[in-house]
Amino acid sequence: MPALAGDPTTGPADGELYFRVLGPLTVERRGEPVPVGGPQHAVALALLLCHADEPVPVDALVAELWRDRPPRSHRVQVQGIISELRRRLAPGGRAAAPIVTRPSAYLLHTAPGGLDLRQFSDEVAAAAAARATGDNATALRLLDVALARWRGPAFSGLTGRSIESTAATLREARLDAAAERIDARLADGRLSGLVAEVGALIGERPLDERFHRQLMTAHHRLGRPADALAAYRELRGRLVRELGIEPAGPTQELHRRILAGESDAAGPSHATAARASAHRQLPPDIADFVGRERELRALRRWLARGASAGAVPIVAVEGMAGVGKTRFAVHAAHRFADAYPDGQFYLDLRGFSAESAPAAPGAVLESLLRRLGVPAPAVPESVADRSALLRDRLADRRVVLVLDDAADEAQVTPLLPATADCLVIVTSRRALALDGACVVALDVFSPVEARELLTGLLGRDRVAAEPASVEELAGRCGHLPLAVAVAGRRLRGRPAWRVEHLLARLSDPDRGLTEFAVGARGVEDVFALSYRALPAGRQRLFRLLGVHLGDDLTAASTAALVGVDPADAERDLEALLDEHLVQQVRPGRYELHDLLRRYAARQAAATPDEAAVARRRLVDWYVATADRATRLIRRFPLPPVGSPPESVAPVPGFGDEEAALRWLDAEFANLRSAIHGAADLPSWRDAVVLVHLLQPYLVRRGQVDDALVTLRAAAAAARRLDDPVAEAHTLTALGQAYDTAGRTDRALESLRDALARHVRLGQPVGEAATRHHLAMVFRRLGRHEDAIAEYRRAVALCRTAGDRMWEASALSGLSVDLHLAGRNGEALEQALRALSLQRVLGGPGLASVENNVGLLHARLGRHAEAIPYALRALAWQRRTGSRPGQANALANLAFSYARTGRPADAVRVAAEAVELARDLGPDLRANTWNTLGEAHRFAGDHRAALRCHREALDIATRIGEAEEQARARAGIHGATVPASA
């Protein structure tokens, strides 16, 4: 929030993080530094801070970290980097970390006063407000504080396209603030040392005429006109040499006045007289205007740099309905009004009006010419002649025109002046193709800006009384400025209401968007203007987007939803993008603002049959496409729970596993919604089939929580279908997921239930898979003989049923438990049998079996044989993007490295395994921590070993993992005895 009453901004509350980017990137808590990790962690944090309190797409992080050459496992590595940042920034636990996950993005929350960049911006804004009231002393104090926050170049030492671009922008902001400080000093008569200070700034920005005018003014006021004139000659020579242009009009005017010996050459000249007859027709500035400082600074820089190189500067302000385009345009016109003393005009073009058609250019021109003093009889008839007369009348004037709510380019073009001394600010809900325009694309407020607006409307005490509810209210508004303002005004007019009372009303589905209205001003009415302006086909597409499943959408999914060709869907989505009715989060992916989605769904509700058929098409397409994608990554066939539906919409093809995984990564949130959407249709069969199709993907990505949620939904759907076979197979998969999550009791309960059902139904493969998973639970509990018995039964069932894939997996698991039971010869025999069988079969299971064979060699002390197995398994798992597979292979590799005289390599790969396993199953986390502890012990770092084994013991004890508990205790003993000795 901008500083109040001329006060510099305060720092963060006690215990909150303080991020400093105006110089080297540092993080502090209570004045103490917080290490952020290695170079990649610093780059990721820097990019999040470049967009603090805004989502940063994963793709943007990948591009910043690896530019054009990301590794195959880039998404996994980004997850690891973010996970480590969370750990470092929140010592009390990652749940309290300021980095939160958004769909395909991450967002870093900063506390009030917790980012020096924001403090700098707020202090500069407060200084501008103080100068506007003539309080130069306060402005100087604020600017001194703001500029003192700089400790060097922003983000110094860090590289990356976005970071370097932001640093360059911040450098310009610092120089702009320095220029404001020089102006304040000149206005306050503080000339001591000013010449040297301005000279240094000219060294940083040698062609900035503002700095040169300040230098000329300082020399002149110090009684050194010859130096002032010399400064002008130096500037002019440089401009002519380097750019081939003369100094701008204000600089030449200052030069003329110094030559003429005028006593106040830097003060106003003809402007005072001109303003007596100027046209002041802007609407009043907005009292509760907040935010948009970044956009205003960028606009000011664009204008200061000569903007459109001799043509009229045009600013096109775009954005969705309710985002505050008119407010921004009027506010900007007031901010720049001093530079345009001959007139400030506001013209409502009514491009999207409920009461009338868009204003005709001829009528607008007639009105504007009359305001400029042209008598009615002298106004030409044709639009072309009126446009020419307007250009003539404005040719020698400095005027700002605000053209609000433009329908299209044809409406705007005749209204444009022809000289660079004017400024035109155009607003439109559409993306306008205006040559040379500076496009200002307004987005919704940040959470901080939304809270600031609500504070201005409700008062600090009321906001402080319900801080969580205020934050939730801003979120319910989607941070859309109009919605936030309407909600705030409703509360302001109802002092008896608590914020939570309005939240309850907003949660009522019968009220919907009607709650976002005060008097005649409502969000729904504003949206309706854009909707009604669409042709009928795009109205249909837009309203059906209201029933699209998930967070975002593509041309392919929209084609399935609407029942059109993907190319037609893409064309229509791009048209809606130009209308700012959808947003593009990254190329090819679109989303609707939450309130626009609710509005679209409300329109779709008027045609319920059409909406139901559209959602049916979409669900069928998602299930069919998931089937095609997961075929490339399945280790085992889809269990007999049903067949994927035939999609009437085109289903994309996938050339390889990587392409399939990219699609699954991008679409998973939507696929998860499709599970619930199928159940709502209802289409219980599609829900069950889709869940089972997704299990290989969830296992590969280590998303055990998602596996549990989706499998519970599938079990409920199978019960609704009254399909005992589907329910049995779902319970088997659910038991495996519970086991992976470390919930042993629930795993045993689910697997025993599933086993009884498979036996009763005569499902040998289902029974074999269930016994396989039961054996894994028994292994965790240290019941190796029980595990061996279950594996042998599973192998026999698989051979009877002819399922060689499950047989290879069961043989591999059997070998591990035989080793743990001390029967090493038989263990290696079964492991090699599994490997031989899996090599014949091929497929994703080969890496897992190779890893187990390597593990057995390692545990038998045959590390020379173990290492190649682990390396082959790791290469395969990296190629396929399996996080659990990579972590297991790395742990096995570290185990052997530590015991073959390579302790440094062991520590390195074990640390990578720990990082990969950080958000995976607890048994894997315990394994990797124990492995890292052993690696540290072999490297001689017993203190680090002790920490790792204690972490492993804590995890293993919680889930009852017998082997890892024993291993951790042995490691603690081994690390403690040398430490005490």
Side-chain angles (χ1 to χ4, degrees), residues 631-656:
R631 286 184 188 193
L632 296 171
I633 64 171
R634 291 178 208 160
R635 181 177 180 183
F636 305 104
L638 182 70
V641 296
S643 300
E646 291 291 331
S647 172
V648 297
V651 174
F654 304 100
D656 53 27

Side-chain angles (χ1 to χ4, degrees), residues 713-764:
R719 285 193 292 273
R720 295 295 294 267
L721 284 169
D722 194 21
D723 183 340
V725 173
E727 188 173 1
H729 282 281
T730 304
L731 288 170
T732 296
L734 184 58
Q736 179 194 15
Y738 277 129
D739 179 44
T740 304
R743 300 171 66 176
T744 307
D745 291 344
R746 295 299 301 272
L748 286 171
E749 177 187 345
S750 184
L751 290 169
R752 284 167 174 160
D753 188 1
L755 182 60
R757 293 169 187 261
H758 285 301
V759 171
R760 188 167 63 249
L761 293 165
Q763 295 278 314

Side-chain angles (χ1 to χ4, degrees), residues 307-332:
S308 47
V312 59
I314 304 171
V315 179
V317 184
E318 301 174 358
M320 65 178 288
V323 83
K325 298 179 293 295
T326 298
R327 283 178 164 234
F328 176 84
V330 171
H331 184 70

